[in-house]
Amino acid sequence: MDVMGDKATLYGTGRFVQPAERDETGEAAEEARRRLAAEAGDVEAMSVLGAMLLRRGDLDGAEPQLRAATAAGDRAAANNLGVLLHQRGYAEEAAGWWRIAAVAGSAAAAHALGRHHRERGDEPAAEYWLRQSAEQGHTLGAYALADLLEHRGDDGAERWMRAAAERGHREAAYRLARALDRRTPREQGADGTEGVEASVLDEAEQWYRQAAARGHQRAALHLGAILERRGDVKEAGRWYLTSAKDGEARAACALGFLLRDAGDAENAAVWWLRAAREGDGNAANALGALHAERGETQTAERWYRAATDAGDVNGAYNLGLLCAEQGRTVQAEQWYRRAAYTGHREAANALAILLLQGGDATGAEPWFSKAAEAGSVDAAFNLGILHAGRGEVEAALGWYERAAAAGHAEAALQVGIARLREGDERAAERHLRCAAGGGSAEAAYRLATLLDARRPPRPAHELGEPSHEKSEYEEWYERAAAQGHRRAQVRVGMLAAARGDVVEAARWYRQAAEAGSRNGAFNLGLLLAREGSEPEAALWWTRAADAGHGRAALRLALVYARQGQLVEGQRWADRAVSLGPAEVAERAARLRDALRQELSA
């Protein structure tokens, strides 16, 4: 059979290339010209006229033209006749004509025939014909072959997906980008280098761009996500906006978060609302959080429920938090459980805390364990507290170490304290540094005392000698003091006093004393007394003595004794004897006895 080349192609079924657009006048003129030629026996005109009528939906008019051209050996007509019969519901007859066209070399027919066999579950035949189409350079054939191979898990899928993408297939570009995007963490883990991940991610971005530029809304979404991670927020926002306007709810949600981070909560809410109405649970949850921040708890609860209904587990967790804040413990537990059963680790931890607060330590422990095993650092720390409360020191330390390894400052502090008890100063220092660096004031203070104890004795400060630079332990004391640590404040005050900086010393002593430190109050009293302000000093000593400071009570006894108030002096001496320590108690007893003798004389 003398088979002519493909002269006419169709679109609309997903099997054919879309022809160039024409205006209606030109189309009518072209149809009239082709009809005259077809009536004169021109095979090419019959084929093209049949395609034109088929594209218009005039199946009855198209069929005789296509059958005539097919009988004359036109493979494009055979292909389009298959399309027409397929539209009429005659799939098997359509496949017969596609086979004729495909054997004659029609890539479009081979693609259509491959699709036909796949729809019927005959994958070997589907692969054969799709490969014939793809190898002839047919874009849709390459994409369909890639889809088939990917479905089977065949490594050859990427080659054909890339071929289709390179020929401008939008969905192929998107799917190739997704495959590369998902591969990046595995690539990094395989050899430990970031270079491979960067190159793969760059290629993924390129394909996302190609698909997004052709109007693929999910490609625009993922492109925006890559750009946002890179820090290019402005361009990310443009792609999110493009995708959101095309109806992608996730892009609208992501755009909302970008706007919120930029301080534009009002416009963020607009996009979240749009996404939430499309069923995006993350957006509904964000709306709930926004209203909760404003104190609009009823509206917040409504959106959290919407998020939960949409499958966003954070909605259930946040409902639990909201109920707990309102004292609705029973409802809080229900929502925490709902989220925890789906694997939400923070919900599991919150549920365990709620149970523990209710006295159910036995019920709390498995939830703490579940949360900790899922990666909750707080839950691991809480398990440490739970075991420590039972006296299970080794088990507690194991959980503290696990939390500390993940950067939990208070857990690192507990490990540091345990190592100090064991005499392992090196390990203690390492953990205390981690905890102090993580913001623990107690760790900063303990690290400072550890370093302070190691320092060699400092020679006496000579008059006119320049003041020394602050050592590391002083810096840690000051960091703890600045965080409100009372013992550190007293220590910083003592260091300032040792340097002769009375004003600085008084400032730190006063801060500690006003926060309830009896040592701070005592030292402030000493400083004031030395400066000649004994009445004010007595006020601070009184505060310290009332808090149980023996030396302050002894100082007050001496003050009142000098002033001739022997009864008051005896009272404070008695208090100092009871408070101690031993040296103070001994001196206070002698003073008390002397005052008694004076009173009885």
Side-chain angles (χ1 to χ4, degrees):
M1 180 186 293
D2 183 18
V3 181
M4 299 176 63
D6 289 326
K7 298 276 176 38
T9 55
L10 295 177
Y11 72 108
T13 63
R15 294 182 170 88
F16 303 94
V17 179
Q18 183 174 353
E21 294 183 359
R22 298 184 181 183
D23 59 47
E24 292 184 4
T25 303
E27 183 79 19
E30 176 68 9
E31 182 182 335
R33 187 175 69 81
R34 293 289 183 181
R35 191 175 293 279
L36 287 172
E39 290 172 353
D42 189 319
V43 175
E44 179 183 350
M46 294 176 193
S47 178
V48 173
L49 178 59
M52 293 173 70
L53 295 170
L54 178 58
R55 185 166 58 245
R56 187 190 301 161
D58 183 0
L59 304 188
D60 292 336
E63 185 171 351
Q65 300 293 338
L66 293 175
R67 285 191 180 276
T70 299
D74 190 292
R75 69 183 187 191
N79 176 46
N80 290 339
L81 180 57
V83 173
L84 184 148
L85 293 168
H86 187 270
Q87 290 183 15
R88 288 190 185 277
Y90 303 127
E92 295 303 323
E93 188 180 353
W97 290 111
W98 283 330
R99 182 181 299 276
I100 290 171
V103 169
S106 171
H111 165 247
L113 187 57
R115 288 280 300 275
H116 169 80
H117 284 297
R118 188 174 182 190
E119 286 167 4
R120 278 149 183 74
D122 187 353
E123 288 197 0
E127 181 182 352
Y128 174 81
W129 288 111
L130 290 175
R131 194 175 292 278
Q132 293 293 317
S133 175
E135 288 177 349
Q136 292 181 64
H138 194 273
T139 302
L140 294 176
Y143 174 71
L145 176 60
D147 184 69
L148 175 64
L149 295 174
E150 186 176 87
H151 175 71
R152 287 208 314 244
D154 193 312
D155 291 338
E158 185 175 320
R159 171 199 169 193
W160 292 109
M161 196 69 77
R162 188 181 299 276
E166 288 172 347
R167 294 168 191 158
H169 194 287
R170 176 176 91 171
E171 185 66 22
Y174 169 72
R175 289 178 62 175
L176 177 59
R178 290 296 294 144
L180 294 168
D181 200 355
R182 285 191 292 264
R183 186 188 305 165
T184 50
R186 293 195 296 274
E187 289 286 353
Q188 187 181 27
D191 58 12
T193 63
E194 293 184 359
V196 174
E197 180 187 6
S199 64
V200 173
L201 191 59
D202 287 345
E203 186 180 4
E205 180 185 341
Q206 168 198 335
W207 292 115
Y208 279 138
R209 282 188 182 279
Q210 177 172 311
R214 293 174 176 269
H216 197 293
Q217 64 187 45
R218 282 172 297 162
L221 166 67
H222 289 290
L223 176 58
I226 287 177
L227 294 166
E228 184 181 359
R229 288 196 299 268
R230 187 192 297 158
D232 193 347
V233 177
K234 185 175 289 188
E235 188 180 359
R238 287 199 297 269
W239 285 112
Y240 283 150
L241 180 61
T242 298
S243 181
K245 285 182 175 179
D246 285 341
E248 178 58 57
R250 288 176 297 170
C253 180
L255 181 58
F257 281 111
L258 278 189
L259 290 166
R260 182 205 61 182
D261 293 343
D264 189 355
E266 293 304 317
N267 278 315
V270 170
W271 287 104
W272 282 334
L273 182 60
R274 182 169 176 171
R277 285 174 173 168
E278 293 296 321
D280 190 284
N282 193 19
N285 186 59
L287 279 173
L290 184 65
H291 287 288
E293 288 172 6
R294 295 171 177 173
E296 300 164 353
T297 54
Q298 288 186 335
T299 307
E301 184 169 342
R302 179 167 61 84
W303 282 113
Y304 285 148
R305 286 180 182 274
T308 304
D309 292 342
D312 190 294
V313 69
N314 288 314
Y317 171 59
N318 285 331
L319 273 170
L321 292 175
L322 193 65
C323 291
E325 288 172 2
Q326 296 172 347
R328 296 154 58 193
T329 307
V330 175
Q331 293 93 327
E333 182 180 339
Q334 290 172 348
W335 289 114
Y336 284 150
R337 282 188 186 277
R338 180 166 176 173
Y341 277 127
T342 65
H344 195 292
R345 65 190 187 190
E346 298 311 321
N349 182 55
L351 174 60
I353 291 172
L354 196 66
L355 293 170
L356 193 60
Q357 289 171 342
D360 186 4
T362 304
E365 185 174 354
W367 287 111
F368 276 138
S369 297
K370 185 173 183 179
E373 294 299 339
S376 172
V377 180
D378 288 335
F381 177 65
N382 289 334
L383 272 172
I385 294 175
L386 194 65
H387 286 290
R390 296 172 181 167
E392 299 164 358
V393 179
E394 289 303 316
L397 186 58
W399 285 110
Y400 284 145
E401 287 179 332
R402 183 166 176 171
H408 196 289
E410 292 304 314
L413 168 63
Q414 295 303 320
V415 177
I417 292 171
R419 297 296 175 237
L420 278 175
R421 283 197 300 264
E422 295 167 359
D424 187 350
E425 286 195 2
R426 180 170 295 180
E429 180 183 343
R430 184 174 70 252
H431 283 97
L432 289 175
R433 284 187 183 278
C434 290
S440 171
E442 180 66 23
Y445 172 73
R446 288 179 179 267
L447 176 60
T449 57
L450 182 65
L451 298 173
D452 194 0
R454 291 178 185 168
R455 67 184 175 91
R458 181 174 293 153
H461 183 70
E462 299 290 338
L463 289 176
E465 222 178 85
S467 61
H468 69 281
E469 291 184 3
K470 289 180 183 176
S471 59
E472 186 185 7
Y473 75 87
E474 288 177 286
E475 291 175 353
W476 284 114
Y477 276 136
E478 289 184 0
R479 180 180 293 193
Q483 292 176 257
H485 194 285
R486 292 180 299 179
R487 285 177 294 168
Q489 290 171 340
V490 173
R491 189 69 182 119
V492 172
M494 292 171 65
L495 291 169
R499 294 195 303 268
D501 191 345
V502 178
V503 175
E504 184 73 1
R507 182 173 74 85
W508 285 112
Y509 288 152
R510 191 177 297 276
Q511 280 192 37
E514 289 175 347
S517 169
R518 61 189 186 184
N519 285 329
F522 175 70
N523 287 0
L524 180 57
L526 289 178
L527 206 61
L528 291 167
R530 289 171 191 162
E531 295 296 311
S533 301
E534 191 171 82
E536 187 181 355
L539 294 175
W540 289 107
W541 283 333
T542 300
R543 182 182 290 194
D546 286 341
H549 198 288
R551 286 189 174 84
L554 178 57
R555 285 281 176 173
L556 284 170
L558 291 168
V559 167
Y560 286 115
R562 285 198 304 272
Q563 292 175 354
Q565 299 182 44
L566 304 185
V567 174
E568 191 69 10
Q570 184 180 335
R571 184 173 74 83
W572 283 111
D574 280 336
R575 185 74 188 278
V577 170
S578 64
L579 291 174
E583 178 190 351
V584 169
E586 183 181 346
R587 290 178 59 196
R590 291 199 300 267
L591 176 60
R592 178 190 60 190
D593 293 342
L595 291 174
R596 281 177 181 171
Q597 289 177 7
E598 186 73 22
L599 285 168
S600 62

